[in-house]
Amino acid sequence: HFYKRQLCSSQMNSTRIFTFIKSSVQTAVHSQKSGSLRFRLKSSKSTFNFAYCTGQSSRQGSAFHRDGDAGQGAGPSGVLLCGVLGWFGLTKDDPTQEENLETTVKMAVLAVQEGNLVKADKLLHVALKLANDMQYQAAVTHIYCLMANLAMERGLVGQAERLFTTVLKRILAEGEAQDSNAVVEISLKLSQIFLSNGDLAKAEQGLTFSTEAMGKKVAAAGTDVDEDTLALYGMALDQQAQLFMAGNRLREAEKSFREAVLVATKLHGEKGEQVLVVTNSLATVLSMQGQDAAAAQLLEGVVAAAQQLDTPHLTAYMVNLGLVRLKQGMVDMARSSCQDARKKAEEVGDKEVIAEADQCLKEVQLALSGTT
């Protein structure tokens, strides 16, 4: 997990998680014409939950703040609510409308965590009807966002796009600033959707907006910048850099990755795990530009730091270092790095890294035999 920050909005107090998982680590592939190695960005899966899209709430500021007195509204009676919620085992003696609604949402979030996405979807639809009937507008927005995240989880990107767009319209109509963190979060998620649909122009437009908006906020705040704003800025920069790299816009990717490394360092220190992930990406783009000495120097530092951490990325870093060393003609160093990576990957049963290490070792053998 990269960023895990507490974001307090006027509507709810919830956790937002910014995660980079293993697939964000770049690996090398063989170049058919020259026999040299180049790096390719694998399909990345950077995920996060929005501040408006979690199931938590605080006692001071409930996620289900009502537009009006709690005793008003035309929602179903507690008995009828218990009948509906009884399908999911959620009944309670004489629950209030607020308790029924909040319990339903929490159970939906739990169902997602347990991998029961169908149950989660049904629960969220029940919750949405309850929130609409009770005229809890903040809760409606919250539930729409949960539904959008769930749609993404289920691969229903069209549905997710519509739901996130609805959330964006609702919070802007409620007075949310266009450059607020909540708006940027949703813009980033929409950019991911546009990218998955192949609409690179829209994806880049969203990422440009997000990086510029957060960059201005970070600069204006100076040393007083909050961690959530920094985390969002780092996320936007990383996604933008990956888009540039996928489009072979390597200088632009390098610039964004360098800024992302600075942001991650401010948040986690020089040897934080996410600093290593982004530095690995920076080394990748440097190697793609032929700057192998600089890339190797960065990866040496990444591997050394990763060996001090309990990180699953260590073996991937070692393979990447081996590949860069191979490009430099340092065959023995390349073989040593990839052999060590393979051994460690075998110990934990990481088949993906084992395959990557094997490919590296094949390239080493080709280099030793003089085959191109």
Side-chain angles (χ1 to χ4, degrees), residues 245-266:
M245 188 157 61
N248 205 35
R249 295 160 63 179
L250 302 182
R251 288 188 178 275
E252 293 169 278
E254 178 186 344
K255 181 180 178 181
S256 294
F257 276 135
R258 285 191 183 279
E259 185 66 21
V261 169
L262 293 177
V263 170
T265 302
K266 288 180 182 178

Side-chain angles (χ1 to χ4, degrees), residues 197-208:
N197 289 335
D199 195 338
L200 301 184
K202 278 189 176 181
E204 183 173 350
Q205 183 179 7
L207 290 170
T208 299

Side-chain angles (χ1 to χ4, degrees), residues 1-5 16-21 24 46-48 227 230-239 259-269 272-279 313:
H1 290 166
F2 182 4
Y3 300 121
K4 186 174 183 180
R5 298 286 172 257
R16 183 175 63 79
I17 302 175
F18 174 27
T19 305
F20 283 78
I21 63 174
S24 69
S46 300
T47 61
F48 61 96
E227 290 184 337
L230 267 180
L232 266 176
Y233 187 37
M235 180 178 191
L237 286 166
D238 180 82
Q239 289 187 19
E259 185 66 21
V261 169
L262 293 177
V263 170
T265 302
K266 288 180 182 178
L267 283 165
H268 302 294
E273 183 168 354
Q274 185 55 33
V275 178
L276 305 186
V277 172
V278 183
T279 302
H313 303 318

Side-chain angles (χ1 to χ4, degrees), residues 49 69 84 161 198 200 204 227 239 260 289 294 300 311-312 367:
N49 295 322
D69 292 336
V84 172
E161 179 183 347
L200 301 184
E204 183 173 350
E227 290 184 337
Q239 289 187 19
Q289 295 178 85
E300 286 279 9
T311 171

Side-chain angles (χ1 to χ4, degrees), residues 22 40 47 64 67 112 134 141 202 220 222-223 312 326 332 341 364:
K22 184 175 179 180
R40 176 182 66 190
T47 61
F64 305 114
D67 299 335
V112 171
M134 299 163 69
T141 302
K202 278 189 176 181
T223 57
L326 187 58
D332 289 339
V364 167

